[in-house]
Amino acid sequence: MQVPELMNTSDAPITRSIPSGNHQVLEAVLHASILDEHVGHLYERLRGVCDPVFNSFEEHEMVFALKTGEGPDILVHFRRKLSQEPTLWHCRYVGTPIPDNGNLFAICRQSTDSIVYSKDLMEFVKSIGLRLEYEFVARGKVFTFGPIKILVFKTFTTEKIGTYSKDNLKPLLESHLVEAIIPIENEDGPKYSKQLKDFCDQLAPLVHFRKIDYTQRARVPY
Amino acid sequence: MHFFRDSCESLRYRTEGVSLICAKVIELSPFTVQDWSGKASFEVNIDLNISLGDCAFFLLSLIKNQFVCERVTVIPEQLLEVARYLRMAGVAWVLEVKEPLKSIKEKVTKLGGVPHKPFHVDYLNYKPTNSQTSISPLGLFHHSNFPLSSFLLGTTSTEGKQVRCVADRGIDLILPKLKAGLTPEHAGSFECNGMEYTYRDFSIRVGVASMANSTTKGTIVEIEFRPTAYITACLGLLVQFTNELINDGEKRYPKYVKQRRTLYTALDTVQQYKDIFTDMRRRTAVVTSNTSST
């Protein structure tokens, strides 16, 4: 007898969340990195400063591109919890950063999110014309400080496409990536990005957060 | 009063009605239970002869945004896993009827159906922007019985594969970003508006289907037998009930009978609407003077 598929909401990735009903969010983001050997200190620091509850995560993200005739490709991110069956995916479209008139302390951009339940995601993305650009597995911890979310994770790539078991995963760098995000309300970029920057400055000199304009750098495919 | 079968996790999203959960007692004060999905706490205002570690069915009513337990039935622990599969998703049959809306509504009310709430189904087809690419058309559906969800159904490919996804409403905002690949075709969009009636274990939805917000295309009836999601368990009853309700001499069968599947899901309901809308589009517009909405 066929067993019913029970979709458990806890199968959804925890690093990306959708505050109820709010699928389109303007967010401010800052990045930093820290060598593997010092991550322990960063965790201690974050445990002291942030909210008491923090979580570990291991998630697989695939980034697809839709080739447009003219202009840059449209990128769509699909993220899932690296567990048994890949059925619950967090789909995200990240907009281009809003123009900075010198009063923004972080990269501010629009993010549109959706949770998609699909038994065969590859079939779905293929039929809408998306091609895989790159993928990675992120393993680390997520902390919160009120509305601010801090992710500390290490990126891995798989040596064998399609399998993501621990033996096939190879680390990409000898450091962890740190990402700090805050949702912006009332389109007040300067206020919330300043709030984010002030919090991030507390973590110096361990990590130095920077406003990295990733759109200017050439994407190196790997 | 609407009755739901929930898990500890899905209780959080329940805003009305009476819920039934099956869980194990893990704490007595505050009264907390746990099942396969998570934990839940609620008020208990009856004399409970239950101890820590017992498994039971709990009938919970939502009173002033708080769940209150009204009835408890203790079960042996071995049944906890079995209870997990007793889910409340109905089996529905969606069909098009030739008669006008008013006449089918009369039949439902004569039977004893009580109007519950309005219902609405809409369908928007996304077509490939360029005909040369390997992009296939995609249908985006919404059904008022699933207010937070969006359904995506593609066309069945030659290999028999079909895109079938359930997503939340955020996907409605992401799809337009892919306009380089898919463009919405509003001229071919469909809508079905009407009323939902409850009659015992059945939910009967009758509505008028219209294309591109203007042309009326026909009347659609959706009959859902709520207690089970196992098709084989209720197919006979569903077919007999529907044929007797419509009572126009024609004996019908739902198309999915041929597929010989055991479980029914919300996507199957939406697929039936898609098939009907596709048929309607192929035919010429039906203009009947007495399909007035009430």
Side-chain angles (χ1 to χ4, degrees):
Chain A
M1 179 151 85
Q2 186 185 349
V3 161
E5 318 134 21
L6 298 164
M7 175 165 54
N8 196 354
T9 39
S10 67
D11 272 346
I14 58 171
T15 53
R16 304 277 175 231
S17 57
I18 303 179
S20 54
N22 222 0
H23 294 284
Q24 217 161 17
V25 178
L26 189 63
E27 60 178 24
V29 61
L30 283 174
H31 289 99
S33 75
I34 187 167
L35 291 173
D36 286 346
E37 56 228 51
H38 304 302
V39 159
H41 297 299
L42 181 60
Y43 283 148
E44 288 302 313
R45 195 64 182 278
L46 285 168
R47 295 246 293 268
V49 172
C50 296
D51 299 338
V53 180
F54 66 93
N55 290 299
S56 298
F57 66 89
E58 190 171 6
E59 289 166 10
H60 169 217
E61 181 161 328
M62 298 171 109
V63 181
F64 295 90
L66 177 69
K67 309 274 179 216
T68 53
E70 58 316 287
D73 297 342
I74 313 260
L75 292 182
V76 183
H77 302 246
F78 279 89
R79 196 160 175 135
R80 60 140 177 153
K81 193 167 174 173
L82 198 65
S83 55
Q84 321 87 327
E85 292 294 316
T87 50
L88 216 57
W89 296 84
H90 184 114
C91 174
R92 192 161 174 250
Y93 171 80
V94 182
T96 45
I98 62 178
D100 184 4
N101 302 321
N103 56 352
L104 290 176
F105 296 89
I107 297 278
C108 300
R109 67 225 179 154
Q110 187 87 249
S111 164
T112 314
D113 303 88
S114 174
I115 299 250
V116 178
Y117 172 80
S118 168
K119 288 231 288 263
D120 191 354
L121 185 83
M122 298 314 288
E123 187 67 34
F124 171 51
V125 295
K126 201 173 79 170
S127 76
I128 55 180
L130 296 176
R131 304 273 172 264
L132 183 67
E133 275 280 294
Y134 62 90
E135 60 173 347
F136 61 91
V137 170
R139 195 188 296 159
K141 298 201 199 299
V142 53
F143 298 82
T144 47
F145 182 76
I148 302 176
K149 193 151 64 173
I150 305 102
L151 283 83
V152 182
F153 59 94
K154 195 164 168 63
T155 45
F156 296 81
T157 43
T158 177
E159 298 190 306
K160 212 166 98 176
I161 299 179
T163 48
Y164 308 101
S165 58
K166 284 203 162 60
D167 331 319
N168 300 73
L169 293 177
K170 230 182 75 170
L172 204 55
L173 301 160
E174 279 162 17
S175 52
H176 278 57
L177 186 64
V178 191
E179 196 175 78
I181 310 170
I182 189 174
I184 296 175
E185 285 163 44
N186 304 325
E187 299 187 7
D188 196 347
K191 174 177 165 196
Y192 288 90
S193 60
K194 176 97 180 32
Q195 209 178 327
L196 185 68
K197 182 102 176 77
D198 289 342
F199 170 77
C200 290
D201 286 345
Q202 288 182 57
L203 299 172
L206 264 183
V207 275
H208 178 54
F209 281 87
R210 297 205 314 269
K211 190 171 82 171
I212 300 175
D213 189 2
Y214 50 82
T215 51
Q216 293 305 321
R217 290 163 186 268
R219 270 204 324 272
V220 180
Y222 58 85
Chain B
M1 176 59 87
H2 248 44
F3 174 69
F4 303 98
R5 173 76 175 90
D6 279 310
S7 61
C8 287
E9 178 68 27
S10 65
L11 267 186
R12 284 175 217 267
Y13 308 103
R14 199 49 81 195
T15 50
E16 50 152 7
V18 172
S19 284
L20 180 72
I21 60 165
C22 185
K24 186 179 190 165
V25 179
I26 56 168
E27 217 178 304
L28 287 173
S29 164
F31 197 81
T32 315
V33 298
Q34 185 176 39
D35 70 3
W36 57 272
S37 71
K39 297 189 187 144
S41 295
F42 45 83
E43 293 284 312
V44 173
N45 66 353
I46 50 169
D47 216 1
L48 266 195
N49 210 351
I50 194 167
S51 31
L52 209 59
D54 280 346
C55 298
F57 276 103
F58 298 92
L59 189 68
L60 307 170
S61 303
L62 200 56
I63 296 174
K64 288 194 186 127
N65 287 335
Q66 258 267 53
F67 271 112
V68 175
C69 176
E70 300 203 327
R71 216 188 305 166
V72 175
T73 309
V74 178
I75 57 168
E77 184 152 0
Q78 297 94 309
L79 288 185
L80 192 62
E81 263 306 293
V82 176
R84 183 177 162 174
Y85 298 126
L86 298 172
R87 300 273 296 181
M88 281 275 281
V91 178
W93 183 10
V94 186
L95 23 61
E96 189 192 343
V97 290
K98 306 259 185 328
E99 55 196 287
L101 183 70
K102 203 147 168 247
S103 136
I104 190 82
K105 274 190 174 176
E106 268 165 20
K107 284 187 178 161
V108 175
T109 24
K110 205 167 102 181
L111 170 71
V114 175
H116 181 60
K117 58 180 183 186
F119 98 99
H120 170 86
V121 174
D122 59 70
Y123 161 51
L124 180 59
N125 193 27
Y126 278 80
K127 288 195 91 131
T129 317
N130 307 329
S131 47
Q132 283 139 349
T133 50
S134 57
I135 300 176
S136 18
L138 191 67
L140 176 68
F141 294 81
H142 302 106
H143 191 304
S144 59
N145 203 29
F146 312 102
L148 301 171
S149 302
S150 294
F151 300 90
L152 294 169
L153 282 175
T155 44
T156 315
S157 71
T158 41
E159 293 112 44
K161 281 192 162 183
Q162 185 195 20
V163 171
R164 289 164 64 98
C165 297
V166 183
D168 57 19
R169 293 291 174 131
I171 203 80
D172 298 1
L173 301 168
I174 293 183
L175 278 178
K177 312 273 186 203
L178 306 172
K179 55 180 183 283
L182 288 168
T183 16
E185 193 208 340
H186 294 283
S189 68
F190 272 85
E191 226 181 49
C192 180
N193 287 297
M195 198 66 184
E196 176 181 320
Y197 296 82
T198 3
Y199 174 68
R200 299 215 187 163
D201 286 329
F202 290 92
S203 275
I204 307 167
R205 298 178 185 101
V206 286
V208 170
S210 55
M211 181 165 122
N213 267 346
S214 50
T215 337
T216 307
K217 288 289 196 174
T219 315
I220 296 183
V221 175
E222 177 189 335
I223 302 188
E224 182 190 354
F225 181 65
R226 290 195 309 271
T228 177
Y230 284 97
I231 301 176
T232 39
C234 63
L235 189 63
L237 177 62
L238 188 62
V239 170
Q240 188 175 6
F241 180 79
T242 309
N243 281 311
E244 284 183 14
L245 173 71
I246 299 174
N247 203 16
D248 61 356
E250 222 183 291
K251 202 154 189 288
R252 303 166 161 92
Y253 269 96
K255 293 201 187 94
Y256 52 78
V257 170
K258 297 200 191 111
Q259 291 167 11
R260 293 183 169 277
R261 281 188 298 110
T262 28
L263 279 174
Y264 188 87
T265 63
L267 269 173
D268 298 321
T269 307
V270 177
Q271 177 73 55
Q272 292 181 72
Y273 275 100
K274 179 172 198 237
D275 292 338
I276 293 177
F277 290 149
T278 319
D279 279 341
M280 284 178 167
R281 195 173 172 180
R282 285 203 200 107
R283 304 192 312 247
T284 46
V286 172
V287 179
T288 41
S289 51
N290 45 1
T291 47
S292 52
S293 55
T294 46

